[in-house]
Amino acid sequence: MKLICIGRNYAAHIEELKNERPNEPVIFIKPDSSILPKEQDFYIPEFSNEIHYEVEVLIKIKKVGKHINKDFAHKYYDEIGLGIDFTARDLQKKLKEKGLPWEKSKGFDGAAVIGKWIDKSNFRDVNQLNFSLFKNGEEVQKGNTSLMLWKIDEVISYVSTFFTLKKGDIIFTGTPAGVGIIKANDYLSGSLEEHELFTVKIK
Ligand code: ZN
């Protein structure tokens, strides 16, 4: 399976990183080896002094699809989740400056936190979901899927024009503003509407 991530999907986050607003979604892939095993602590890797959290709404693909029309995209997923796209921001900055791929800064072991899944039928409108990240009990990121530049169905459609989507693939739909650094002994938790979907200890 693969993890497909969308970059720059919330205007306020684009501004905080001083990135250009893209005309099309930015896409990158994390390998399946980047998934942090359930219940495991996250260890800050030695190659970075600036690991950032990015809380993101996740979509789990339920069947194979290619060139999926936006109007049919909702048929390709049932479950919605929440996770973290951990990013070695210092390394990413260097790679970006040189015009090199970001993979090392985004795809390292443990860089993908995947929380519990909720059937989308529990929600009235997937384009009106509140979600938050808490660090040591304090809310540090707060988003709503209505603020996505490309909504869930558009993301699925766009991604599937480049990559065949397979059952079990997971899409990270981008992070809202408020990304920041983690340090050893921090404790992160993420909520989607009233559901707490993950907790992670930082070591
Ligand atoms: Zn991200």
Side-chain angles (χ1 to χ4, degrees), residues 70 73 84 127 148 172 182 195:
K70 157 167 98 59
I84 300 176
N127 293 318
M148 289 179 171
F172 281 64
I182 49 166
H195 313 273

Side-chain angles (χ1 to χ4, degrees), residues 6 28 54 56 85 106 175:
I6 307 301
F28 58 94
E54 294 189 354
E56 311 202 0
D85 166 22
K106 290 277 198 181
T175 195

Side-chain angles (χ1 to χ4, degrees), residues 12-69:
H13 172 60
I14 294 171
E15 279 158 30
E16 75 180 344
L17 291 189
K18 300 190 169 55
N19 280 320
E20 262 173 56
R21 202 185 178 100
N23 298 320
E24 293 174 31
V26 173
I27 302 182
F28 58 94
I29 301 270
K30 285 176 186 271
D32 58 4
S33 51
S34 69
I35 298 171
L36 185 69
K38 287 256 179 301
E39 312 294 325
Q40 202 161 298
D41 299 334
F42 176 83
Y43 284 81
I44 295 176
E46 284 179 359
F47 53 76
S48 176
N49 294 312
E50 195 186 14
I51 299 289
H52 275 192
Y53 50 77
E54 294 189 354
V55 70
E56 311 202 0
V57 169
L58 310 183
I59 302 300
K60 194 197 276 180
I61 297 298
K62 70 168 183 179
K63 60 179 180 180
V64 71
K66 187 168 176 62
H67 294 297
I68 299 166
N69 186 297

Side-chain angles (χ1 to χ4, degrees), residues 152-188:
I152 292 170
D153 289 348
E154 293 169 305
V155 164
I156 291 172
S157 174
Y158 183 77
V159 165
S160 76
T161 60
F162 298 92
F163 305 115
T164 295
L165 292 175
K166 293 184 177 176
K167 186 177 174 179
D169 286 350
I170 294 171
I171 301 179
F172 281 64
T173 59
T175 195
V179 301
I181 198 165
I182 49 166
K183 297 213 155 59
N185 301 317
D186 280 343
Y187 178 77
L188 303 176

Side-chain angles (χ1 to χ4, degrees), residues 97-158:
E97 276 165 20
K98 291 182 185 161
L100 293 170
W102 296 344
E103 265 71 6
K104 288 191 291 186
S105 68
K106 290 277 198 181
F108 58 87
D109 289 0
V113 174
I114 295 170
K116 290 181 212 143
W117 295 97
I118 299 180
D119 198 280
K120 70 180 176 197
S121 63
N122 286 288
F123 302 116
R124 197 175 38 81
D125 181 359
V126 297
N127 293 318
Q128 295 281 348
L129 297 176
N130 289 298
F131 60 101
S132 295
L133 183 76
F134 298 85
K135 187 171 90 167
N136 306 323
E138 183 195 338
E139 188 174 51
V140 287
Q141 278 192 282
K142 189 178 171 59
N144 186 289
T145 52
S146 65
L147 300 173
M148 289 179 171
L149 300 179
W150 290 277
K151 302 291 186 285
I152 292 170
D153 289 348
E154 293 169 305
V155 164
I156 291 172
S157 174
Y158 183 77

